């Protein structure tokens, strides 16, 4: 008998087979001489029982012997698949045990041991072949050997040891197939997200080509981006809502994968922004925050979910924002902000800043859709009416979050009142005929749009025909992407809101133009509505001519700025930047609707300052120095709420304030303008 076999027999003679196993099993408290462990490691090359015994006790081995054991595992894995299947009984057991051994040793060992890391790199092609082979029969190994956990840890090691391979077709396909998973014999959903997450983090999001590659590999596995996101959402809910206790580590991994996928590419982004996905994320966040025992892992999971929701909201899709608001995200943000702790020795969790970012994304959506404004108003009204501790909870959150919440409320209240004023005819949209020899000023509803660009307005067919020789060049230069911007029906409310605010802040805009040295006849304004506070920039509109191919829709808009002799009318070109696009507006400059008004007697004597929502390029607040109708309406609503004990968020209070504004200021607002009827 060989020396190894003799040594093993010697051990079993002295101790007995069962005693050796028990001895190994309690290796931490009953250390076996290393020379005997070396014999067992060598014997594990030939005996499956000993290999399994070594794997079970591997955690108790010193680092030197773990490195020796890895050599044995790699030797088994280097055996060709066909040879292993033909020559050995239970061939998959040998490989599964070797892979489990690598899993037990874990990534930290390979970070410390460069020689073992290199052996892993050299063995990776063989490891991948066996992982693929085992995938076919994994239903036999999930319950006993936990194949999903093994492949997850192997990919984690791979992402550190040899990340360059994570862009290879077969590696990505295996990651997707391991993610898709199976229903095991125990009826459970067996899958692992770690391989997919490793590929996403190390490869998929780096380039557009990488994103397309990932999408092709997903299609090769007979799945779509929607399938992928739906399954992530369902598994997140399973790990939190339908699992007792919660599988918090899986929640962190799943939400991290979702966050990476959201930015992967167009199809993945679109799939992430569906209402069903947003609703699932809010439901998971609610379950995490309402769990009776909040651990540090809970807070990490909360942070991960907040990051995913914030990433989706950054695309400014109103449907997505509406659905997360409808699911009750506002109170969850206040709760999450309470967990803005910094564990000792760990990086900050930033829960409060992520919650504040979500609030900022939500308030930016107010400009798009009146239903979004009303939904958030109802949610805030319910918070103050139905949760007596809500105000106390806000007071306990970090100052930065409270300030963002105050801005959110201020902008929400202003927009909720503005909707009611718009319904009554306040700040109507004006237009001017695009025909240079006409330029008549009237309500936009009195004009017809050019069928080609849908931007130029004409008071009659004769004016359109007379202007066609001038307008046709710019109109025909528009491509589909520019036309889609000009024709977007969701631009109507933003255009009207921006027109009002340009007039409200006109004094500040003039001051900025003087500081920047932009002549009044060349002045244009860009409003960036992608971040809060909203940035206002003044510039010379001739800069748009520097890139005609990029800006044909903006240059077309500039045609409307001049009269028959080339002199400027009371109009200004405003470029509204939102959703990654630039949309032009022609704003009529008229302070009639935004001039200072006399405060009604019922208004409180103490005027609170307007909260700044707009800033200049340097971040300085831009204020409306006047008490105009909108600002007066906000103060009136608060006064009525104080007098009656009702909530300022009540629709009846806002309607009462709007009625009073129109009643008090109708004569001032309509003075000298016969065409303007406030209740039109």
């Amino acid at each position: 008998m060989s020396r190894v076999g003799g040594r093993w027999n010697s051990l079993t003679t002295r101790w007995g087979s069962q005693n050796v196993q028990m001895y190994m099993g309690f290796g931490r408290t009953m250390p076996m001489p290393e020379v005997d462990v070396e014999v067992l490691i060598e014997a594990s090359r030939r005996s499956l029982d000993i290999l399994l015994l070594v794997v079970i006790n591997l955690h108790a081995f010193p680092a030197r012997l773990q490195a020796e054991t890895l050599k044995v595992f790699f030797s088994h894995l280097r055996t060709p698949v066909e040879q292993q299947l033909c020559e050995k009984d239970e061939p998959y057991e040998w490989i599964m045990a070797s892979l489990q051994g690598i899993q037990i040793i874990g990534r930290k060992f390979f970070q410390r041991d460069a020689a073992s890391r290199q052996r892993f790199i050299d063995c990776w092609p063989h490891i991948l072949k066996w992982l693929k082979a085992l995938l076919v029969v994994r239903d036999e190994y999930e319950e006993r050997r936990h194949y999903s956990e093994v492949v997850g840890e192997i990919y984690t090691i791979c992402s550190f040891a040899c990340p360059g391979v994570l862009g290879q077709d077969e590696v990505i396909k295996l990651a997707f197939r391991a993610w898709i998973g199976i229903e095991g014999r125990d009826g459970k959903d067996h899958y692992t997200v770690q391989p997919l997450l490793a590929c996403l983090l190390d490869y998929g999001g780096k380039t557009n080509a990488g994103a397309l590659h990932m999408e092709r590999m997903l299609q090769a596995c007979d799945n779509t981006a929607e399938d992928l996101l739906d399954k992530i959402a369902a598994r997140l809910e399973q790990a939190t809502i339908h699992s007792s206790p919660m599988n918090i580590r899986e929640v962190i991994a799943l939400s991290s994968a979702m966050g990476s996928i959201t930015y992967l590419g167009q199809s993945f982004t679109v799939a992430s922004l569906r209402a069903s996905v947003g609703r699932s994320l809010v439901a998971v966040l609610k379950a995490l925050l309402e769990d009776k025992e909040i651990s540090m892992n809970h807070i990490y999971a909360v942070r991960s979910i907040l990051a995913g929701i914030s990433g989706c909201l950054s695309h400014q899709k109103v449907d997505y924002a509406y659905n997360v608001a409808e699911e009750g995200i506002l109170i969850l943000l206040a709760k999450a902000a309470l967990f803005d702790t910094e564990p000792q020795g760990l990086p900050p969790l930033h829960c409060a800043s992520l919650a504040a970012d979500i609030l900022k994304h939500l308030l930016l959506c107010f400009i798009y859709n009146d239903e979004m404004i009303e939904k958030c108003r109802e949610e805030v009204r319910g918070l103050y009416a139905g949760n007596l501790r809500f105000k106390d909870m806000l007071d306990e959150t970090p100052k930065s979050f409270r300030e963002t919440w105050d801005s959110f409320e201020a902008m929400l209240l202003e927009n909720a009142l503005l909707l009611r004023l718009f319904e009554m005819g306040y700040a109507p949209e004006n237009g001017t005929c695009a025909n240079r020899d006409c330029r008549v000023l009237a309500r936009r509803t009195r004009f017809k749009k050019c069928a080609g660009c849908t931007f130029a307005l004409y008071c009659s067919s004769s004016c359109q025909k007379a202007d066609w020789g001038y307008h046709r060049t710019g109109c025909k230069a528009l491509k589909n992407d520019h036309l889609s911007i000009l024709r977007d029906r969701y631009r109507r409310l933003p255009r009207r809101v921006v027109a009002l605010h340009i007039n409200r802040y006109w004094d500040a805009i003039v001051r900025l133009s003087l500081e920047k040295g932009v002549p009044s006849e060349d002045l244009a304004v860009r409003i960036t509505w992608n971040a809060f506070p909203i940035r206002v920039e003044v510039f010379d509109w001739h800069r748009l001519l520097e890139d005609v191919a990029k800006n044909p829709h903006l240059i077309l808009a500039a045609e409307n700025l001049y009269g028959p002799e080339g002199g400027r009318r009371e109009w200004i070109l405003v470029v509204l930047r939102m959703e990654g696009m630039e949309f032009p507006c022609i704003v009529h400059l008229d302070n009639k609707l935004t001039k200072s008004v006399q405060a009604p007697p019922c208004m409180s004597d103490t005027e609170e300052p307007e909260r700044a929502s707009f800033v200049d390029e340097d971040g300085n607040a831009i204020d409306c120095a006047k008490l105009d109708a909108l600002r007066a309406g906000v103060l009136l609503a608060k006064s009525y709420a104080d007098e009656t004990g009702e909530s300022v968020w009540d629709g009846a209070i806002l309607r009462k304030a709007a009625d009073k504004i129109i009643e008090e200021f109708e004569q001032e607002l309509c003075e000298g303008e016969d065409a303007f009827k406030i209740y039109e």
Side-chain angles (χ1 to χ4, degrees):
M1 185 176 291
S2 68
R3 189 179 78 82
V4 172
R7 184 71 178 178
W8 171 250
N9 285 335
S10 173
L11 281 171
T12 54
T13 298
R14 290 190 337 228
W15 295 95
S17 178
Q18 291 183 344
N19 286 338
V20 169
Q21 294 184 34
M22 182 181 71
Y23 194 73
M24 291 285 291
F26 292 93
R28 289 186 182 277
T29 56
M30 299 174 60
M32 176 182 279
E34 288 191 10
V35 65
D36 291 340
V37 176
E38 290 175 345
V39 172
L40 289 177
I41 292 172
E42 188 61 29
S44 67
R45 294 179 181 272
R46 298 177 177 82
S47 168
L48 178 59
D49 288 339
I50 298 176
L51 179 64
L52 295 172
L53 188 63
V54 167
V55 170
I56 291 171
N57 293 274
L58 185 58
H59 65 278
F61 290 5
R64 181 182 68 83
L65 293 181
Q66 286 183 342
E68 289 302 311
T69 309
L70 275 173
K71 295 178 184 178
V72 176
F73 297 154
F74 289 144
S75 69
H76 291 311
L77 290 164
R78 287 179 181 277
T79 305
V81 174
E82 296 79 7
Q83 179 182 336
Q84 183 87 347
L85 295 178
C86 293
E87 294 182 358
K88 291 187 177 180
D89 295 330
E90 300 183 283
Y92 293 116
E93 290 287 347
W94 289 83
I95 300 304
M96 214 42 242
S98 299
L99 291 171
Q100 275 190 301
I102 297 174
Q103 175 200 11
I104 291 169
I105 288 176
R107 184 180 67 173
K108 289 184 179 179
F109 178 88
F110 291 94
Q111 289 175 324
R112 294 191 304 266
D113 191 315
S116 294
R117 181 167 66 251
Q118 186 58 49
R119 291 191 184 97
F120 179 92
I121 295 170
D122 295 339
C123 193
W124 169 252
H126 308 282
I127 294 173
L128 178 63
K129 288 178 182 178
W130 276 112
L131 290 176
K132 289 168 58 181
L134 283 161
L135 188 70
V136 180
V137 294
R138 65 176 155 173
D139 56 335
E140 300 179 19
Y141 291 93
E142 282 293 1
E143 296 175 46
R144 295 184 299 114
R145 298 285 189 208
H146 306 292
Y147 171 82
S148 292
E149 294 179 12
V150 169
V151 69
E153 181 60 27
I154 295 296
Y155 266 75
T156 299
I157 296 169
C158 182
S159 67
F160 163 73
C162 45
V165 305
L166 294 173
Q168 296 174 0
D169 287 5
E170 294 305 309
V171 177
I172 297 174
K173 283 185 194 175
L174 177 62
F176 276 126
R177 288 180 175 132
W179 156 254
I180 292 168
I182 60 168
E183 182 179 334
R185 296 174 181 177
D186 56 1
K188 295 180 180 178
D189 180 19
H190 292 284
Y191 71 95
T192 178
V193 70
Q194 279 81 4
L196 176 59
L197 188 56
C199 290
L200 288 169
L201 294 177
D202 285 320
Y203 172 72
K206 294 181 179 179
T207 63
N208 291 332
L212 293 173
H213 189 192
M214 295 287 283
E215 187 171 5
R216 286 194 297 270
M217 294 305 99
L218 180 60
Q219 292 170 349
C221 298
D222 298 319
N223 266 239
T224 65
E226 289 192 357
D227 295 332
L228 179 63
L229 270 298
D230 285 341
K231 198 173 281 285
I232 290 180
R235 285 171 173 167
L236 272 169
E237 290 190 24
Q238 179 63 40
T240 50
I241 301 170
H242 307 299
S243 177
S244 182
M246 289 185 183
N247 190 341
I248 302 300
R249 292 187 181 276
E250 193 67 7
V251 173
I252 295 172
L254 288 167
S255 53
S256 296
M258 177 169 281
S260 298
I261 288 168
T262 300
Y263 293 101
L264 190 57
Q266 180 65 22
S267 63
F268 294 98
T269 300
V270 171
S272 301
L273 294 176
R274 288 171 299 141
S276 58
V277 176
R279 290 181 181 276
S280 292
L281 286 178
V282 178
V284 170
L285 182 62
K286 183 178 181 181
L288 287 167
L289 291 170
E290 292 183 351
D291 199 18
K292 293 180 180 178
E293 297 183 7
I294 303 292
S295 66
M296 188 56 66
N297 278 336
H298 276 75
I299 301 175
Y300 281 124
V302 165
R303 180 189 64 178
S304 192
I305 295 293
L306 289 174
I309 295 174
S310 179
C312 290
L313 285 171
S314 67
H315 294 277
Q316 293 184 283
K317 298 300 180 184
V318 178
D319 289 345
Y320 186 92
Y322 182 90
N323 279 281
V324 299
E326 189 174 46
E327 285 298 300
I329 195 173
L330 293 181
I331 191 169
L332 300 180
L333 296 178
K335 289 181 178 180
L338 295 173
F339 297 117
D340 201 41
T341 56
E342 297 186 16
Q344 188 173 6
L346 297 174
L349 295 178
H350 299 303
C351 287
S353 60
L354 283 169
D357 286 344
I358 290 174
L359 277 179
K360 292 175 184 178
H361 291 314
L362 290 174
L363 67 82
L364 287 171
C365 290
F366 294 158
I367 194 176
Y368 293 94
N369 187 274
D370 54 357
E371 292 180 358
M372 179 68 187
I373 296 170
E374 289 299 286
K375 171 51 62 180
C376 287
R377 181 187 64 79
E378 283 293 333
E379 290 296 315
V380 172
R381 185 185 67 82
L383 288 180
Y384 285 108
N387 191 326
L388 298 178
R389 288 200 63 255
F390 180 70
K391 184 65 170 66
D392 293 337
M393 187 194 314
L394 277 180
D395 291 340
E396 294 171 10
T397 60
K399 180 181 178 182
S400 58
F401 178 82
R402 290 198 308 274
E403 290 176 346
T404 303
W405 181 272
D406 290 342
S407 295
F408 175 84
E409 283 195 2
M411 199 161 188
L412 176 59
L413 183 59
E414 182 180 279
N415 279 273
L417 178 66
L418 193 56
L419 286 182
R420 285 152 181 81
L421 289 171
F422 280 168
E423 289 172 3
M424 301 172 70
Y426 173 69
E429 284 193 282
N430 290 315
T432 184
C433 181
N435 181 8
R436 288 189 158 203
D437 295 323
C438 179
R439 296 300 199 199
V440 65
L441 170 67
R443 297 291 182 83
R444 280 187 64 92
T445 53
R446 298 186 179 182
F447 295 96
K448 292 183 179 180
K449 298 177 183 177
C450 168
C453 64
T454 69
F455 186 84
L457 303 176
Y458 294 99
C459 61
S460 65
S461 298
S462 58
C463 271
Q464 183 175 16
K465 290 178 182 177
D467 190 55
W468 180 240
Y470 181 81
H471 177 67
R472 66 183 299 169
T473 302
C475 188
K476 290 184 174 294
L478 299 174
K479 296 183 171 60
N480 288 336
D481 52 345
H482 303 117
L483 287 171
S484 65
I485 295 173
L486 295 176
R487 293 173 178 174
D488 192 337
R489 62 188 180 90
Y490 291 110
R491 300 288 187 252
R492 182 176 180 182
L493 181 60
R495 185 182 64 214
R496 191 169 183 181
V497 171
V498 165
L500 174 65
H501 285 307
I502 286 292
N503 279 285
R504 294 190 77 216
Y505 299 116
W506 183 245
D507 291 343
I509 289 170
V510 170
R511 173 179 53 79
L512 290 174
S513 68
L514 293 174
E515 292 175 359
K516 298 291 183 181
V518 180
S520 59
E521 63 272 15
D522 300 323
L523 176 62
V525 178
R526 177 177 282 106
I527 300 181
T528 301
W529 210 282
N530 292 336
F532 186 85
I534 299 144
R535 194 177 72 175
V536 177
E537 169 197 359
V538 298
F539 68 101
D540 185 331
W541 73 268
H542 292 91
R543 283 168 41 190
L544 300 174
L545 300 175
E546 296 171 3
D547 192 345
V548 176
K550 180 181 178 182
N551 301 312
H553 60 309
L554 304 182
I555 296 169
L556 178 78
E559 294 177 4
N560 292 267
L561 295 176
Y562 294 91
E565 290 81 30
R568 280 285 292 270
R569 297 288 298 272
E570 293 300 316
W571 299 90
I572 187 170
L573 173 64
V574 179
V575 178
L576 180 57
R577 178 181 291 169
M578 51 199 235
E579 295 182 86
M581 299 179 291
E582 292 194 330
F583 176 76
C585 310
I586 300 297
V587 173
H588 180 232
L589 300 178
D590 186 351
N591 67 355
K592 191 170 294 181
L593 299 176
T594 58
K595 67 180 181 180
S596 297
V597 295
Q598 185 177 358
C602 58
M603 189 181 297
S604 171
D605 291 336
T606 304
E607 260 189 52
E608 51 184 279
E610 183 178 33
R611 185 170 293 274
S613 299
F614 295 81
V615 296
D616 62 21
E617 293 177 73
D618 299 320
N620 301 312
I622 297 177
D623 299 315
C624 179
K626 306 171 184 176
L627 177 65
D628 63 354
L630 177 59
R631 183 64 188 149
V634 170
L635 296 175
L636 266 177
K638 292 180 178 180
S639 294
Y640 289 148
D642 290 339
E643 292 171 7
T644 61
E646 298 291 337
S647 170
V648 73
W649 303 105
D650 189 274
I653 291 290
L654 293 172
R655 174 61 66 181
K656 183 179 179 181
D659 287 341
K660 186 65 176 177
I661 287 297
I662 298 303
E663 176 189 335
E664 291 287 332
F665 304 145
E666 182 174 4
Q667 184 174 356
E668 294 177 76
L669 297 177
C670 300
E671 183 181 355
E673 188 172 340
D674 295 336
F676 180 60
K677 301 297 182 185
I678 209 76
Y679 289 100
E680 181 179 74

